[in-house]
């Protein structure tokens, strides 16, 4: 069982007071009698000196002297015999015959039990004497005074031992009452001290378990109140610091995750670039070595070799340029330069550049263009987005061979969509098509020289314009779209 401060202090105070009372009782038993006799002896000597002073100033025959002596002996409770030698003048305070008898016993040694000498001075002696007849003890003083007179003083000694025992019992009774009262008071006082300390300990325990909602609400202005205020301040500071530390840890974790993500992207990028460049480099190297070694002297074969080398070099050049473009947009080097322009001529221009390819594949283009579509954006970047969408649609065209370009104007935004008939993109791949080098059909992409960079450029351009882009499957094909926010509505522009 835990020993509380309240219990410890209560036991301590009770023990100390009990020990003090025990010591007091022992002192009563051992030294009270000696102390009382010592004080009584001093009192007898003092009374003798006062008697001597009175008789120097007057004689026993004066009535005033008698009154003064009477007051003195009555106040000190001392029996006395004062007499002038050779004169009838005397003063007696007490039982005369017994005084004379006791004086004779002490002065002339008329008793078989000699008195005990307590003090001896030049003019007087003090004895302690036990009267066998009366079974009582006395302090006796016999001394000479000026003017040929003497005095005999007697003071009875009560039962000192019995008095000491009575005093000891009384001390114990009072002591027990005092101990009981003190224990109650100490218990109450220590309870007022230990109570707040217990609450502070509970608050500290909750703080140790990272619960900083607990507060010390006492109104004390002493050290405990100061400690409580300090703990409240410490709790607030710890809560704030730990909150900051948690935020820093979260930010650090995000930074670590981002670093890991960037590192993975870097590894993927290097792997993808290596993979994309591996095939054209191998082809260029192979055909170049064939030309150097003269594998074929046929001009037609040599021309074919050169065409392959030029074609593969062009693909590599296109890949590098697209990577540079994407890097410049993502890093902010190539920032968007918004200007006002009409989007309709841009779309028509891109379609015109693909006209030969459209005719070769017998692709039907459906484009219900409005008279004009003014927007504010970077014209070259938006043209690159449209070109990537249309190029991607042409190269993945199947079925009805239909290309649809749609325009949708909403409040404050313009949405452009490019649809082509063909195989749908697997649902699991829809969110991945914006990643660098990601290819749904790698064989077909390689066939037409695709690098998997075009849609990544689209995503980067939309991010730089604070726009959005997406893709979804339709029943007979795939539709890509992008949307830009506009501050003005479309209006007629002469083209």
């Amino acid at each position: 069982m835990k020993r509380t401060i309240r219990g410890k202090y209560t036991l301590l105070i009770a023990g100390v007071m009990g020990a003090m009372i025990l010591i007091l009782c022992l002192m009563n038993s051992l030294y009270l009698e000696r102390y009382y006799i010592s004080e009584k002896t001093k009192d007898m000597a003092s009374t003798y000196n006062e008697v001597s002073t009175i008789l120097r100033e007057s004689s026993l025959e004066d009535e005033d002297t008698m009154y003064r002596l009477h007051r003195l002996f009555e106040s000190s409770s001392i029996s006395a015999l004062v007499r002038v030698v050779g004169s009838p003048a005397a003063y007696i305070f007490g039982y005369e015959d017994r005084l004379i008898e006791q004086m004779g016993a002490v002065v002339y040694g008329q008793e078989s039990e000699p008195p005990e000498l307590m003090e001896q001075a030049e003019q007087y002696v003090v004895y302690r004497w036990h009267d066998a007849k009366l079974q009582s003890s006395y302090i006796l003083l016999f001394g000479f005074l000026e003017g040929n007179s003497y005095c005999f003083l007697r003071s009875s000694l009560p039962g000192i031992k019995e008095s000491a025992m009575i005093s000891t019992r009384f001390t114990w009774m009072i002591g027990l009452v005092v101990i009981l009262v003190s224990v109650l008071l100490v218990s109450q006082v220590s309870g007022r001290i230990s109570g707040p300390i217990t609450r502070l300990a509970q608050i500290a325990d909750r703080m140790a378990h990272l619960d900083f909602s607990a507060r010390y609400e006492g109104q004390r202005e002493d050290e405990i109140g100061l400690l409580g205020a300090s703990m409240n301040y410490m709790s607030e500071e710890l809560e704030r610091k730990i909150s900051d530390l948690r935020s820093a840890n979260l930010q650090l974790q995000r930074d670590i995750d981002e670093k890991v993500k960037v590192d993975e992207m870097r590894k993927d990028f290097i792997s993808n670039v290596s993979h994309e460049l591996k095939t054209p480099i191998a082809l260029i190297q192979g055909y170049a070595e064939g030309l150097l070694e003269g594998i074929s002297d046929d001009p037609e074969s040599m021309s074919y070799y050169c065409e392959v080398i030029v074609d593969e070099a062009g693909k590599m050049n296109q890949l590098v340029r697209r990577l540079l473009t994407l890097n410049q947009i993502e890093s902010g080097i190539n920032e968007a330069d918004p200007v006002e322009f009409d989007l309709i001529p841009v779309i028509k221009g891109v379609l015109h550049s693909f006209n030969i390819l459209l005719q070769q594949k017998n692709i039907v283009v459906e484009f219900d263009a409005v008279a004009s579509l003014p927007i504010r954006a970077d014209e070259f970047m938006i043209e690159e987005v449209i070109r990537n969408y249309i190029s991607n649609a042409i190269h993945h065209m199947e079925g009805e061979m239909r290309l649809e370009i749609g325009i949708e104007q909403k409040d404050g935004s313009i949405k452009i969509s490019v649809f082509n008939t063909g195989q749908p993109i697997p649902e699991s791949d829809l969110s991945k098509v914006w990643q660098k080098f990601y290819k749904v059909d790698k064989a077909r992409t390689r066939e037409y020289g695709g690098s998997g960079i075009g849609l990544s450029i689209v995503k980067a351009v939309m991010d730089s314009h604070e726009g959005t882009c997406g893709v979804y499957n339709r029943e007979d094909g795939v539709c890509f779209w992008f949307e830009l926010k506009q501050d003005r509505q479309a209006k007629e522009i002469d083209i």
Side-chain angles (χ1 to χ4, degrees), residues 157-169:
L157 288 176
I160 299 300
K161 292 184 179 180
E162 183 180 354
S163 299
M165 292 177 63
I166 294 173
S167 176
T168 300
R169 287 195 299 269

Side-chain angles (χ1 to χ4, degrees), residues 170-232:
F170 181 75
T171 302
W172 271 116
M173 289 189 294
I174 296 298
L176 291 175
V177 174
V178 171
I179 289 174
L180 180 61
V181 174
S182 299
V183 166
L184 293 176
L185 291 176
V186 170
S187 178
Q188 292 296 323
V189 173
S190 60
R192 296 188 61 185
I193 296 175
S194 62
I197 293 177
T198 302
R199 291 197 296 273
L200 289 173
Q202 294 172 350
I203 293 173
D205 182 68
R206 294 176 63 179
M207 289 171 60
H209 292 83
L210 302 183
D211 179 8
F212 301 104
S213 61
R215 292 289 186 273
Y216 177 75
E217 299 177 353
Q219 303 297 324
R220 302 174 64 127
E221 298 182 357
D222 54 8
E223 290 82 355
I224 293 179
L226 180 62
L227 178 60
S230 299
M231 290 191 67
N232 288 342

Side-chain angles (χ1 to χ4, degrees), residues 451-470:
S451 60
I453 302 296
L455 294 179
S456 298
I457 294 176
V458 172
K459 183 68 169 60
V461 170
M462 287 299 103
D463 289 342
S464 66
H465 282 77
E466 296 182 356
T468 56
C469 59

Side-chain angles (χ1 to χ4, degrees), residues 10 59 63 116 129 210 247 262 265 281 302 304-305 309 326 352 378 396 429 461:
T10 301
S59 66
E63 186 177 356
E116 178 185 354
W129 179 65
L210 302 183
S247 299
V262 170
M265 291 173 62
I281 290 175
M302 293 177 63
Y304 174 74
Y305 284 9
I309 292 173
L326 179 60
H352 182 72
D378 189 303
H396 290 83
D429 293 332
V461 170

Side-chain angles (χ1 to χ4, degrees), residues 365-385:
V365 178
E366 296 181 4
F367 177 35
D368 296 331
V370 295
S372 65
L373 188 61
I375 65 171
R376 182 175 180 80
D378 189 303
E379 184 174 356
F380 297 102
M381 289 186 179
I382 298 302
E383 181 181 354
E384 182 71 14
V385 171

Side-chain angles (χ1 to χ4, degrees), residues 13-26:
I13 296 300
V16 170
M17 296 194 67
M20 292 179 63
I21 293 172
L22 178 61
I23 292 173
L24 180 60
C25 292
L26 290 175

